[in-house]
Amino acid sequence: MQLKHQIQTGLRMLFAGCMTGGMLMCHSMNRPAETTETKGAEGTGGTIAMPKLRTFTMPSVPASIATVSGRADYLAAHYWDHFDFTDTVYVHLPEVTEQAFVDYLSILPYASGPAVTAQSVGQLLAEAEQEASGRMYGFFLEMFDKYLHDPNSPLRDDELYIPVARYLIADTRSGETEKRRMRYTLEGLLKNRPGTVAANFTYVLPDGRQRRLHDLKADCTLLMFYNPDCHACGEIIASIRQSSVIGKLHADGTLAILLFYPDEDLEIWKAHRDDIPGDWLNGYDRHGKVKSSEIYDLRAIPSLYLLDRDKTVLLKDVNFDRLEEFLTKKFQ
């Protein structure tokens, strides 16, 4: 299944058709998938192939829960109530299980807070971990990594992945190598979280002047870690240039745009510096301190951050569509 289709299907099913008078009105949904089981034929010594219909059934939200966050909280707590974690055939049915998982992720942002989502994620992994073979637990860990931690996933979300990392570190199944790797991952996830002040650093402009991130005075700062010869970076830069909302905010001084090159090969940066609009800030790291000290979790380039006037992180490692949507809602 294509990721974009999965996301659209989940959001449409859970919200687009479930909003009435501002209330979330979701109901149970079944997605059938047939597999074959072999059973003894009655009255004979032989066997016959009998189809078994495997579905995913969402819980029904009590009508007495009237708010969107309340109904999302209920679904976060009870979403997997009817799922058979002991049946490992489900891990081979992406049209049932993976789609249900994406739909589940589409609910969590509507929940009332991080404690609810962390509890939900832990509850899901605890149920999966109890399956004897370990296949179910491995499947859900893979799904969380694919959708929440992969830099290329439109659903990536460090805050939702943090409880996954913490659960694995404390689980009874994973080996020490896996736990060590996840501890390192968690260290990165905890850096520059939304609501915390972004780590300060010095950048050098094309004319040789040095500036510091925290000295920028705009109401918001769009900070982009980039590489000049990175194709994906070029696409993001083009999107920023074409965005009317970003253009307006930048033109009136509300939004500063800082592109920062954290790598060592300065010749590449110099060769492409004229590709960047002259009214943007385009800097490099003269001594490579940002990368060597790992004060930012740069697991992939490009990486976009949105900071407020005090350099508190509003959005961390966000995709462009979400960034533009956030700015549109905040300022228009």
Side-chain angles (χ1 to χ4, degrees), residues 163-294:
V164 178
R166 286 175 168 159
Y167 189 94
L168 186 150
I169 290 169
D171 73 17
T172 60
R173 284 190 177 272
S174 303
E176 186 52 38
T177 299
E178 294 172 287
K179 290 179 182 290
R180 187 182 307 114
R181 183 168 56 247
M182 191 58 83
R183 289 189 194 101
Y184 179 78
T185 295
L186 182 59
E187 288 180 9
L189 296 173
L190 296 176
K191 294 174 182 176
N192 303 295
R193 297 174 70 183
T196 66
V197 176
N200 200 11
F201 59 84
T202 299
Y203 57 93
V204 182
L205 294 170
D207 61 8
R209 289 178 298 159
Q210 292 190 112
R211 295 288 185 268
R212 293 178 66 78
L213 172 65
H214 283 197
D215 293 337
L216 289 171
K217 301 302 182 184
D219 289 342
C220 285
T221 297
L222 171 54
L223 169 61
M224 177 177 172
F225 294 92
Y226 86 115
N227 191 306
D229 60 355
C230 157
H231 178 70
C233 298
E235 291 181 339
I236 295 294
I237 290 170
S239 295
I240 294 172
R241 298 180 73 161
Q242 295 165 11
S243 171
S244 59
V245 62
I246 291 178
K248 179 179 181 300
L249 293 172
H250 183 250
D252 66 18
T254 301
L255 178 71
I257 301 175
L258 170 60
L259 271 61
F260 181 73
Y261 174 57
D263 292 323
E264 297 82 9
D265 191 346
L266 189 55
E267 295 307 311
I268 293 178
W269 181 82
K270 288 180 178 178
H272 292 275
R273 62 188 173 189
D274 292 338
D275 298 341
I276 306 302
D279 57 349
W280 295 8
L281 296 169
N282 179 25
Y284 67 92
D285 190 350
R286 174 170 288 163
H287 302 293
K289 289 185 177 180
V290 170
K291 191 171 183 179
S292 63
S293 62
E294 298 185 340

Side-chain angles (χ1 to χ4, degrees), residues 10 17 48 78 91 112 115 121 134-135 163 208 214 247 256 287 302:
I48 57 174
H78 297 281
V91 307
S112 59
V121 168
R135 286 192 290 272
H214 283 197
H287 302 293

